[in-house]
Amino acid sequence: MGMGSDSAAFPFPSTTITSPRFCNPISHRRIFSDVAEDVTVSVDGQSFLLHKFPLVSQCGRVRKMVVDSKDPDLLKLELVNVPGGAFAFELAAKFCYGSNFEITTANVAHLRCVAEYLEMTEDYQEENLIFRTETYLNEFVLKNLDKSLEVLCKCDGLDPTVEEVGLVDRCVDAIAMNASKEQLVSGLAHLECHVGSGKLHMHSQDWWVEDLSALRIDHYRRVIAAMRRTGVRPESIGTSITHYAQTSLKGVERRHVWDSGPFVGDDQRMIVETLIDLLATENITTVTLSFLFGMLRMAIEVDASLDCRIEVEKRIGLQLEMASLDDLLIPSTQTSDSMFDVDTVHRILVNFLQRINEDDSGELSPCGYDSEGLKSPSHSSILKVGRLMDGYLAEIAPDPYLKLQKFMALIELLPDYARIVDDGLYRAIDIFLKAHPSLTESECKKLCKLIDCQKLSQDASSHAAQNDRLPIQMVVRVLYFEQLRLKSSFSGGGSGGCGDGGLSQRFVCNSGVPSSCVSPQRDNYASLRRENRELKLEISRMRVRLTELEREQGLMKQQGMRGGDGRAGEHGRAFLASLSRGFGRISMFGGPAAEEKRRRKKSSRSSQGSEGKKNRRRQKASFAYD
């Protein structure tokens, strides 16, 4: 059931007087064939040849105009600002002549307004046009939801008279009241009781949701506010707002970054701002997250006010953990900026973190790893957002126009405990380094410092150790923590967890990387500790060598020696080769390998080295980001 055609009509009795005929401004035809006309009424450039008596006897305005003219032979009257124009005046003239026509939902608003304009009250004739239209409104229109909707739609163009007579307010209240009644009746009619479960299920369809989309935006806003006051379900109101936006904004085309100039009118901007304001003022929380992202994109397209955009961003921030990667990929409308609107995503993330802080109320520890925090809903949400943001960073990283400051600001915004492992962050940073080869060495160092090498998985560490895009300092850190990881797998087995294992053991537990704890024999433990000390000493030598290389490279740059670059390159390659040898030595650690090493003779060590190289090549292939 929707806004149907008029079924109820209000007929006027016929009289012996012939109906007046409409005359266009070019050809003025006589209304009566037997009685000559004595006045010409002009309305909006169109002329009606009429008689004074039927008009003066029922229209107070016409009577005053005739009396004020003091001309008994007045031949012409001009009416200005007639609500409804020539169409409404013709209907009123027919009523004055007693013609038989019907009041319907299509013309009652025009008749009521023109009757008010012409002052067709009971002072001049009983059951005048105002009385007849009010009777029809009260008995047929305001008691029915779809008829009230149709009459409200017909109020367009009748301002300000339609507001003065209170027709809009009465239709708005009638729509809200009837919708509330229908909701209650429909819910009771479809109330089903499941005997087995004892649960009540209510099924009702709000047919008026789609019909409200035909209203003007200012009328629609008043209807929604009235529905909220009368107790209409928020779910129905949210569905109505969604449908209204889809219907009224479907013609707005997306503007690309290369487009310029005007692309949308003020009407679409007013619709977007009004709908967003309705969500805020009426406290509608039942709309979907995809709809909120759609409204945010539309607000950007139509250049809505900043307050509207901030309101939508706050609502999205309340449920960011349920968003998808496609939702965050908002195109940028600035021609000189990046391809994606990173600033908007940054503000959404700020709103999400504010909500997390309010929910936690100081219960979480700063590191976020206390026992209660790991099980809390807020910690689960922030982990989901952490994975979501890692995917978003990887999507925007290839953009050559993306500035390093914006990229780093998104990374630094999330706390450390938002990521259990940093593999996704490492992948995004590696893509950014590949897409921005013009970054300076200091910028690369600042960016790579955001990666926690302790949180990299074994595959990610293997890839990072051989990644020539990374600074040498990070490669050293990766190798160092990989050595600590291997050490903890042996020395931490007896303690059974993260109890007293020191830094390496705390890393293994907190980072979420599964520790392959073993229980070595007592006679093997001393040899393992000795070899670990040797490796630690070797890494220290590497650090000293690295410092020497950096000092030598700085001297070459100051002197401006051309051939110095080649010599530094040779030193760098030699140093990386030593790092690779050190990493190969670390990779050979393991329970079975160490045992085999002790059992076999020195002549068989070469075969073990070749086998270790094969293993390292397989690890390298399993974590390829390029």
Side-chain angles (χ1 to χ4, degrees), residues 320 344-354 385 389 410 413-414:
L320 181 59
T344 297
V345 177
H346 188 277
R347 290 194 297 268
I348 292 174
L349 187 57
V350 169
N351 291 322
F352 168 77
L353 294 175
Q354 288 177 353
V385 172
M389 293 307 300
L410 278 178
L413 196 57
L414 279 175

Side-chain angles (χ1 to χ4, degrees), residues 82-303:
V82 179
F87 168 74
F89 179 78
E90 183 180 0
L91 294 178
K94 286 183 178 181
F95 178 82
C96 293
Y97 278 85
S99 299
N100 186 19
F101 73 98
E102 295 178 338
I103 297 180
T104 65
T105 54
N107 61 28
V108 65
H110 292 76
L111 283 172
R112 178 64 184 88
C113 291
V114 76
E116 187 72 19
Y117 175 83
L118 295 174
E119 301 178 14
M120 301 177 69
T121 63
E122 299 298 295
D123 297 336
Y124 303 98
Q125 181 177 319
E126 292 184 0
E127 298 186 359
N128 210 342
L129 186 56
I130 292 179
F131 174 82
R132 296 293 183 91
T133 53
E134 286 291 337
T135 302
Y136 180 80
L137 287 170
N138 295 327
E139 293 185 1
F140 292 96
V141 174
L142 300 180
K143 295 180 180 180
N144 188 280
L145 197 156
D146 57 344
K147 287 182 173 55
S148 300
L149 271 172
E150 186 172 356
V151 171
L152 185 57
C153 290
K154 296 298 181 180
C155 291
D156 294 349
L158 299 178
D159 297 325
T161 308
V162 71
E163 294 287 355
E164 294 173 357
V165 300
L167 184 56
V168 173
D169 288 336
R170 285 185 288 170
C171 289
V172 166
D173 293 338
I175 292 170
M177 188 60 65
N178 289 319
S180 180
K181 291 180 181 179
E182 283 202 11
Q183 176 180 281
L184 179 59
V185 173
S186 178
L188 293 176
H190 295 84
L191 196 61
E192 298 177 357
C193 181
H194 293 261
V195 180
S197 61
K199 296 181 179 179
L200 298 178
H201 297 274
M202 183 177 293
H203 307 281
S204 61
Q205 294 181 350
D206 298 316
W207 57 266
W208 47 264
V209 165
E210 297 182 2
D211 290 343
L212 288 181
S213 301
L215 292 174
R216 206 170 64 188
I217 184 61
D218 55 337
H219 292 167
Y220 178 78
R221 177 173 189 165
R222 293 161 71 171
V223 168
I224 293 299
M227 284 185 170
R228 186 68 172 167
R229 291 194 302 268
T230 55
V232 176
R233 285 193 303 267
E235 297 84 3
S236 301
I237 296 178
T239 304
S240 175
I241 292 176
T242 302
H243 191 274
Y244 191 95
Q246 294 171 348
T247 303
S248 57
L249 299 174
K250 61 182 179 181
V252 179
E253 298 181 355
R254 175 167 296 177
R255 184 177 66 168
H256 300 282
V257 294
W258 54 82
D259 295 335
S260 60
F263 61 97
V264 69
D266 293 335
D267 292 341
Q268 286 79 10
R269 184 181 301 107
M270 181 182 298
I271 291 173
V272 171
E273 292 179 352
T274 301
L275 293 180
I276 294 176
D277 189 56
L278 274 177
L279 294 175
T281 56
E282 302 302 325
N283 195 23
I284 306 300
T285 59
T286 56
V287 293
T288 62
L289 187 62
S290 61
F291 173 74
L292 291 176
F293 273 106
M295 289 302 297
L296 178 59
R297 292 171 184 247
M298 194 60 62
I300 296 174
E301 293 293 329
V302 302
D303 195 22

Side-chain angles (χ1 to χ4, degrees), residues 407-420:
F407 189 73
M408 292 181 61
L410 278 178
I411 300 176
E412 294 171 341
L413 196 57
L414 279 175
D416 293 338
Y417 59 89
R419 296 181 178 93
I420 294 180

Side-chain angles (χ1 to χ4, degrees), residues 298-414:
M298 194 60 62
I300 296 174
E301 293 293 329
V302 302
D303 195 22
S305 63
L306 183 60
D307 293 339
C308 291
R309 293 180 56 177
I310 291 177
E311 176 62 30
V312 181
E313 290 167 2
K314 287 181 179 179
R315 288 179 171 268
I316 292 175
L318 295 177
Q319 43 188 331
L320 181 59
E321 64 271 18
M322 295 185 291
S324 64
L325 181 58
D326 292 337
D327 293 331
L328 295 180
L329 297 177
I330 304 173
S332 176
T333 57
Q334 303 296 328
T335 56
S336 61
D337 207 345
S338 59
M339 296 174 58
F340 299 101
D341 195 341
V342 181
D343 294 333
T344 297
V345 177
H346 188 277
R347 290 194 297 268
I348 292 174
L349 187 57
V350 169
N351 291 322
F352 168 77
L353 294 175
Q354 288 177 353
R355 190 260 291 182
I356 291 296
N357 292 334
E358 294 174 358
D359 292 345
D360 290 343
S361 300
E363 295 178 1
L364 274 180
S365 63
C367 66
Y369 282 111
D370 55 329
S371 58
E372 294 182 1
L374 286 172
K375 300 178 182 179
S376 66
S378 60
H379 187 260
S380 175
S381 299
I382 204 168
L383 289 179
K384 292 179 182 178
V385 172
R387 291 190 293 268
L388 177 65
M389 293 307 300
D390 286 347
Y392 178 75
L393 291 170
E395 287 291 331
I396 66 175
D399 183 6
Y401 299 102
L402 179 61
K403 297 179 181 179
L404 176 64
Q405 292 77 8
K406 291 187 177 182
F407 189 73
M408 292 181 61
L410 278 178
I411 300 176
E412 294 171 341
L413 196 57
L414 279 175

